[in-house]
Amino acid sequence: MTKFSVLILGSASASPTLNRNPTSQLLNINEQYYLIDCGEGTQSKLREHKVKFQRLHHIFISHLHGDHYLGLIGLLQTMHLLGRTIDLHLYGPPQLKEIIDLHLKYSYSALRYPLIFHPTQAVQSEIIFENNQIEVSTIILKHRIPCTGFLFKEKSKPRVINPDAIKLHCVPKHAINKLKNGEDYIVFDTKKVIKNEVLTLKPAKSRSYAFCSDTKYCESIIPQITNVDLLYHEATFMQSEEKRAKETYHSTAEQAAQVALKAKAKSLIIGHFSNRYLKLDNLLNEARFVFKNTELALENSVFEIKETQ
Amino acid sequence: MTKFSVLILGSASASPTLNRNPTSQLLNINEQYYLIDCGEGTQSKLREHKVKFQRLHHIFISHLHGDHYLGLIGLLQTMHLLGRTIDLHLYGPPQLKEIIDLHLKYSYSALRYPLIFHPTQAVQSEIIFENNQIEVSTIILKHRIPCTGFLFKEKSKPRVINPDAIKLHCVPKHAINKLKNGEDYIVFDTKKVIKNEVLTLKPAKSRSYAFCSDTKYCESIIPQITNVDLLYHEATFMQSEEKRAKETYHSTAEQAAQVALKAKAKSLIIGHFSNRYLKLDNLLNEARFVFKNTELALENSVFEIKETQ
């Protein structure tokens, strides 16, 4: 059973409050970490959760509003001071590089590890990272400045070998990998075909997480996130503030739930709460009225996507 | 009795730890606030202490290492979002303005309040702020990049009217201000001179606070800070790490104490502790061995300078 979980490090919108930090989330996919957004205070939150900075290799920044990236420069500096030498991959708007370079220039510093910058563009969705397990693509959001969400998707998993069937049919070791890839087994001397499904079991389903940070209500993202297992969607305001949400290119809790509903998401978490809301029950209820399986993406919460067949 | 106190918001050096924030201090002089340095997390610490951001009018940044200013952009943004319209005066290295402007440019924002920037230079000490109560001058420190400390000094206070003596000598109201300024009183018809000290009492002494952030051991600052009431001096390392301190342009606890001793400071607080020190007792003891009246400038501590005659 491999892990696929989201740890919430910050749930506040632009103005942090005493209990709510600006946006940041730590994704754990099979013990590989992916940091999404990095508001002020993220390095402290990571320490609080005893996350070793050495284990961070990929950081994704959605857009250049301060509450989504102002903790990044400090985190990069701390990694440098801790003696990091391994690569760090950073994905974000092209101008982020210019900002980092200016900070480094005036602190007379050069990072002693390679910072590999991958500029994103907010025009059309593209795959910005993949390895043998997952694929990350941008989600084009509608915010006041260029802004992308990120869709993390597990790749199709190999079929699972059925050890009893393998034994029964005397399948040799060298044929195993082909079986995992879905091929049938052909007995060497008789040329008899044994169907793959006789020898293997269905693999676990590929899981997916969609991070939709700052955006106004936007149906154009729905095809891309249809059937997503877990959707994070910002919900800065209540529906009573719909006008304000539209003006500021943000969403209401109801709108976030509408997106989840239309995308047939399995579950929804909402965050980026305006500091006008001291209690969040009403936001949650408003979303749940439209999309039942909703939770608040509060600091220190962990949302796990279980493996299913 | 007017207030003169320093609230410590951060005591860590470059890498914050779970319990120690990067450098920031809030000076309260007669209920006027002065923020000195603004490491990441400063706005949260200010909220923790229920400091109203509207009451901040002057922010002083010593130098452009991240642990001394990375909380500034977020604080400026929050002030904007809270609807600030009143002036904010910012004092710091000239390049700080360029950094702020770049962040604002890429967040497509303009602050809705005037941010009045006062560039400092780290060549020779100069007065960078004064009002009718205090005067702030830069202290030229020796760090890896241009860096200034700040000396906050109360101006001479007016002499205190002795109400009994005023009554006895029938001094009219219009003469009071001249008495406060130290002038003698001349009786209108007889031309008799009544000495000022007969009619007034000595004012309280002017108090002073010297903030010496990142610097290697540096005796050249001593004439400027001689007899200071309270000296904050960085003490990143123990004396056993003297070589490392010198290489990184930092000070040891013993060196901070030597500066306090030679400057005849009344008391010393030390901070900017390397994260290698989990307990700080040894740093404190080392400083106290040289300069007894030393305390640790720990988060949430308040150091008050009492008024004396």
Side-chain angles (χ1 to χ4, degrees):
Chain A
M1 183 77 101
T2 58
K3 202 165 186 138
F4 196 124
S5 69
V6 185
L7 166 65
I8 306 301
L9 301 168
S11 75
S13 62
S15 297
T17 68
L18 210 46
N19 307 313
R20 293 186 218 144
N21 275 37
T23 304
S24 184
Q25 302 186 358
L26 184 70
L27 198 56
N28 178 338
I29 302 179
N30 200 11
E31 298 308 327
Q32 301 290 313
Y33 285 154
Y34 303 91
L35 187 69
I36 313 174
D37 278 354
C38 188
E40 189 178 346
T42 297
Q43 56 173 322
S44 293
K45 290 300 285 179
L46 287 169
R47 279 196 197 275
E48 205 179 304
H49 287 277
K50 301 193 184 350
V51 175
K52 288 211 163 60
F53 295 178
Q54 284 290 83
R55 287 189 56 194
L56 291 174
H57 304 292
H58 301 278
I59 302 179
F60 299 83
I61 301 294
S62 64
H63 67 299
L64 294 182
H65 278 152
D67 55 322
H68 293 259
Y69 82 95
L70 284 179
L72 179 66
I73 319 276
L75 179 61
L76 298 182
Q77 286 280 11
T78 298
M79 286 171 163
H80 165 81
L81 291 167
L82 292 176
R84 184 185 185 108
T85 52
I86 51 172
D87 292 1
L88 181 73
H89 292 267
L90 177 64
Y91 310 78
Q95 301 82 357
L96 180 56
K97 182 68 168 48
E98 190 182 335
I99 291 175
I100 294 168
D101 286 346
L102 195 69
H103 281 276
L104 291 175
K105 177 179 164 193
Y106 290 138
S107 68
Y108 297 26
S109 310
L111 300 175
R112 64 166 72 87
Y113 58 88
L115 177 67
I116 299 154
F117 185 68
H118 306 265
T120 56
Q121 45 79 14
V123 182
Q124 60 183 39
S125 172
E126 56 183 352
I127 295 171
I128 53 172
F129 169 74
E130 62 178 322
N131 61 15
N132 58 356
Q133 294 187 330
I134 67 158
E135 182 180 283
V136 184
S137 50
T138 49
I139 301 170
I140 307 306
L141 301 172
K142 288 201 174 130
H143 196 42
R144 205 162 54 77
I145 65 173
C147 180
T148 71
F150 303 103
L151 177 63
F152 291 78
K153 268 173 91 165
E154 278 185 321
K155 291 186 170 174
S156 306
K157 294 172 186 178
R159 291 189 65 87
V160 177
I161 298 300
N162 178 341
D164 295 339
I166 293 293
K167 211 169 165 187
L168 184 69
H169 294 277
C170 303
V171 179
K173 270 193 184 164
H174 66 78
I176 297 293
N177 272 346
K178 287 185 175 174
L179 287 179
K180 284 185 180 171
N181 290 339
E183 295 177 34
D184 297 333
Y185 171 60
I186 304 165
V187 182
F188 182 70
D189 41 8
T190 65
K191 305 296 172 211
K192 185 183 163 193
V193 174
I194 304 174
K195 285 281 186 197
N196 187 289
E197 48 272 36
V198 174
L199 299 167
T200 67
L201 305 168
K202 239 170 89 177
K205 279 187 187 151
S206 298
R207 294 164 288 184
S208 56
Y209 175 59
F211 170 85
C212 296
S213 76
D214 300 15
T215 186
K216 67 176 177 179
Y217 179 71
C218 162
E219 294 194 349
S220 59
I221 66 175
I222 290 170
Q224 190 187 358
I225 62 170
T226 292
N227 295 322
V228 72
D229 289 291
L230 180 62
L231 167 64
Y232 165 84
H233 196 290
E234 73 122 297
T236 310
F237 297 106
M238 296 279 297
Q239 193 62 19
S240 54
E241 296 287 325
E242 190 190 359
K243 195 165 157 266
R244 177 98 189 110
K246 204 171 174 184
E247 278 165 13
T248 57
Y249 287 75
H250 284 297
S251 300
T252 68
E254 187 184 311
Q255 289 170 341
Q258 286 291 355
V259 172
L261 186 73
K262 290 183 181 165
K264 301 184 185 72
K266 295 205 184 52
S267 40
L268 168 68
I269 53 177
I270 54 173
H272 201 266
F273 310 116
S274 163
N275 67 358
R276 73 191 64 196
Y277 305 115
L278 299 180
K279 289 190 169 188
L280 303 171
D281 305 8
N282 290 340
L283 278 152
L284 180 60
N285 292 336
E286 183 174 289
R288 280 187 174 166
F289 189 76
V290 174
F291 187 85
K292 201 175 163 230
N293 204 5
T294 305
E295 299 289 343
L296 297 171
L298 289 180
E299 276 72 8
N300 312 323
S301 308
V302 178
F303 298 94
E304 235 170 297
I305 311 176
K306 297 246 181 290
E307 258 187 345
T308 56
Q309 292 298 317
Chain B
M1 183 77 101
T2 57
K3 202 165 185 137
F4 196 124
S5 69
V6 185
L7 166 65
I8 307 301
L9 300 168
S11 75
S13 61
S15 296
T17 68
L18 209 47
N19 307 313
R20 294 185 218 145
N21 275 36
T23 305
S24 184
Q25 303 187 356
L26 184 70
L27 198 57
N28 178 338
I29 303 179
N30 200 12
E31 298 308 328
Q32 300 290 313
Y33 286 154
Y34 303 91
L35 187 70
I36 313 173
D37 279 353
C38 189
E40 189 179 347
T42 298
Q43 58 172 323
S44 293
K45 291 299 286 180
L46 288 168
R47 278 195 197 277
E48 206 181 304
H49 287 276
K50 301 194 184 352
V51 174
K52 289 210 164 62
F53 295 178
Q54 284 290 85
R55 288 188 57 195
L56 289 174
H57 304 293
H58 301 278
I59 302 179
F60 299 83
I61 302 293
S62 63
H63 67 299
L64 293 182
H65 278 152
D67 55 322
H68 293 259
Y69 83 96
L70 284 178
L72 180 66
I73 318 278
L75 178 62
L76 299 181
Q77 287 279 13
T78 299
M79 286 171 164
H80 165 81
L81 291 166
L82 292 176
R84 183 185 185 108
T85 53
I86 52 172
D87 293 0
L88 181 73
H89 293 267
L90 177 64
Y91 310 78
Q95 301 83 356
L96 180 57
K97 182 69 168 48
E98 192 182 334
I99 291 174
I100 294 168
D101 287 346
L102 195 70
H103 282 275
L104 292 174
K105 177 180 164 193
Y106 290 137
S107 69
Y108 296 26
S109 310
L111 300 175
R112 64 165 72 88
Y113 58 89
L115 177 67
I116 299 153
F117 185 68
H118 306 265
T120 55
Q121 45 79 12
V123 182
Q124 61 183 39
S125 172
E126 56 184 350
I127 295 171
I128 52 173
F129 169 73
E130 63 178 322
N131 62 14
N132 58 356
Q133 294 186 331
I134 66 157
E135 183 182 282
V136 184
S137 50
T138 49
I139 301 169
I140 308 306
L141 300 172
K142 289 202 175 131
H143 196 41
R144 205 161 54 78
I145 64 173
C147 180
T148 70
F150 302 104
L151 177 63
F152 291 78
K153 268 172 92 165
E154 278 185 320
K155 292 186 171 173
S156 307
K157 294 172 186 178
R159 291 189 65 87
V160 178
I161 298 299
N162 178 343
D164 294 340
I166 292 293
K167 211 171 163 188
L168 183 70
H169 294 277
C170 303
V171 179
K173 272 192 182 162
H174 66 78
I176 296 294
N177 271 346
K178 286 185 176 174
L179 287 178
K180 285 186 180 170
N181 290 339
E183 295 178 35
D184 297 333
Y185 171 58
I186 303 165
V187 181
F188 181 70
D189 41 8
T190 63
K191 307 295 172 207
K192 185 183 163 192
V193 174
I194 305 175
K195 286 280 184 199
N196 186 290
E197 48 271 36
V198 173
L199 299 166
T200 67
L201 305 168
K202 238 168 92 176
K205 279 187 187 150
S206 297
R207 293 164 290 183
S208 55
Y209 175 59
F211 170 84
C212 295
S213 75
D214 299 15
T215 187
K216 66 177 178 179
Y217 178 72
C218 162
E219 293 195 349
S220 59
I221 65 174
I222 289 170
Q224 192 188 357
I225 62 170
T226 292
N227 295 322
V228 72
D229 288 292
L230 181 61
L231 167 65
Y232 165 84
H233 196 289
E234 72 122 298
T236 309
F237 298 106
M238 297 278 297
Q239 193 61 20
S240 53
E241 296 287 326
E242 191 190 358
K243 195 164 158 265
R244 177 99 188 108
K246 205 171 173 185
E247 277 165 13
T248 57
Y249 287 76
H250 283 298
S251 300
T252 67
E254 187 185 311
Q255 289 170 341
Q258 285 291 355
V259 172
L261 186 74
K262 289 184 181 164
K264 302 184 184 72
K266 294 206 184 52
S267 39
L268 167 68
I269 52 177
I270 54 174
H272 201 266
F273 309 117
S274 163
N275 67 357
R276 74 190 63 196
Y277 305 115
L278 299 180
K279 289 190 169 187
L280 302 171
D281 306 8
N282 290 341
L283 279 151
L284 181 61
N285 292 337
E286 181 174 290
R288 279 187 175 165
F289 189 75
V290 173
F291 187 83
K292 198 173 166 230
N293 204 5
T294 306
E295 298 289 343
L296 297 171
L298 290 178
E299 275 73 6
N300 311 324
S301 307
V302 178
F303 298 94
E304 233 169 299
I305 310 176
K306 297 245 184 289
E307 257 187 346
T308 55
Q309 292 298 316

